[in-house]
Amino acid sequence: MPADPLHRAGTSQRSAKSQPTDGSRASAIEVRRSARRRRTVSAYREGDRTVVLIPARMSEAEEQRWVRVMLDKLAAQESRRTLGDAELAERARRLSEQYFDGRACPHSVRWVTNQNTRWGSCTPSDGSIRLSHRLQGMPEYVVDYVLCHELAHLLVPGHGPRFWRLLEAYPRTERARGYLEGVVAADRLPHVPGARDE
């Protein structure tokens, strides 16, 4: 995205761009540069738009990096608000429409507390999807990936090549899988007592 030309101090410049469709809430990103802003970067939602506030002197590469960081931060904050089962089912319906042409139609989608070794599960015969409560508080794109994974199982059982080709429709698959692998790896690290534990 091209950086806006710098204007005189105290003015802010805006650049708007479409956000790639990735299942997140906002459909557009607006970057506002300010000569008064020195180091801090912040972001907030404004309707269906995400506004990112950055210093005017920031390079285009820094802008792109900070936009990604702030989108992830907002998504994490929003997903800390626990979605109820009805909201989760609606989210699954939207994801099915967006990535599977509406072909994956679960009969129920709900949170469960008895899945400690898997992130989600699906029973194709009755169309039920269950997500582990451990996903609550993770970024939206991670929850969306697990929902897409289970929706794909309604269409293709097992984890063969056809399943993974189908799941490629969700653009943040690799990133979400990396996030979940990091969580699993962190859980396996030995606990090292710190000053606060003494």
Side-chain angles (χ1 to χ4, degrees):
M1 96 188 93
D4 290 324
L6 299 179
H7 297 324
R8 57 193 161 87
T11 62
S12 67
Q13 306 96 50
R14 297 177 182 195
S15 65
K17 61 186 159 238
S18 293
Q19 178 178 337
T21 306
D22 63 2
S24 66
R25 210 175 67 121
S27 60
I29 302 166
E30 181 181 318
V31 176
R32 295 181 187 168
R33 291 175 170 265
S34 171
R36 287 187 290 184
R37 189 174 280 269
R38 296 287 175 216
R39 291 189 302 243
T40 60
V41 176
S42 61
Y44 60 91
R45 302 285 193 204
E46 192 174 79
D48 68 346
R49 176 182 311 274
T50 301
V51 178
V52 181
L53 308 169
I54 64 171
R57 62 174 176 69
M58 196 172 273
S59 72
E60 183 179 332
E62 289 174 309
E63 176 182 319
Q64 290 176 1
R65 183 177 73 81
W66 275 106
V67 165
R68 284 192 303 273
V69 166
M70 297 313 289
L71 287 174
D72 284 348
K73 190 172 184 177
L74 282 174
Q77 289 169 354
E78 290 164 353
S79 67
R80 283 188 198 107
R81 178 183 72 81
T82 303
L83 298 174
D85 289 348
E87 292 169 302
L88 199 59
E90 174 57 24
R91 197 160 170 176
R93 187 198 61 74
R94 284 195 324 265
L95 290 167
S96 176
E97 287 292 328
Q98 189 171 359
Y99 299 112
F100 307 115
D101 299 321
R103 294 178 297 133
C105 302
H107 293 289
S108 70
V109 182
R110 62 190 175 93
W111 296 107
V112 294
T113 57
N114 63 350
Q115 285 188 154
N116 293 316
T117 58
R118 1 168 117 177
W119 298 112
S121 62
C122 169
T123 307
S125 61
D126 68 7
S128 63
I129 291 176
R130 295 158 305 280
L131 295 191
S132 171
H133 72 285
R134 295 178 305 138
L135 289 165
Q136 294 172 341
M138 291 189 188
E140 283 184 0
Y141 74 92
V142 175
V143 176
D144 286 351
Y145 161 72
V146 177
L147 277 171
C148 284
H149 186 106
E150 302 310 331
L151 287 166
H153 277 310
L154 290 177
L155 303 172
V156 178
H159 292 102
R162 195 167 146 243
F163 172 83
W164 292 110
R165 276 194 307 275
L166 186 62
L167 198 52
E168 284 173 2
Y170 182 65
R172 299 182 90 176
T173 291
E174 289 306 313
R175 186 172 187 187
R177 289 184 70 191
Y179 184 99
L180 292 171
E181 287 169 5
V183 169
V184 170
D187 285 346
R188 291 181 181 151
L189 291 174
H191 175 69
V192 178
R196 287 182 287 181
D197 296 335
E198 295 172 356

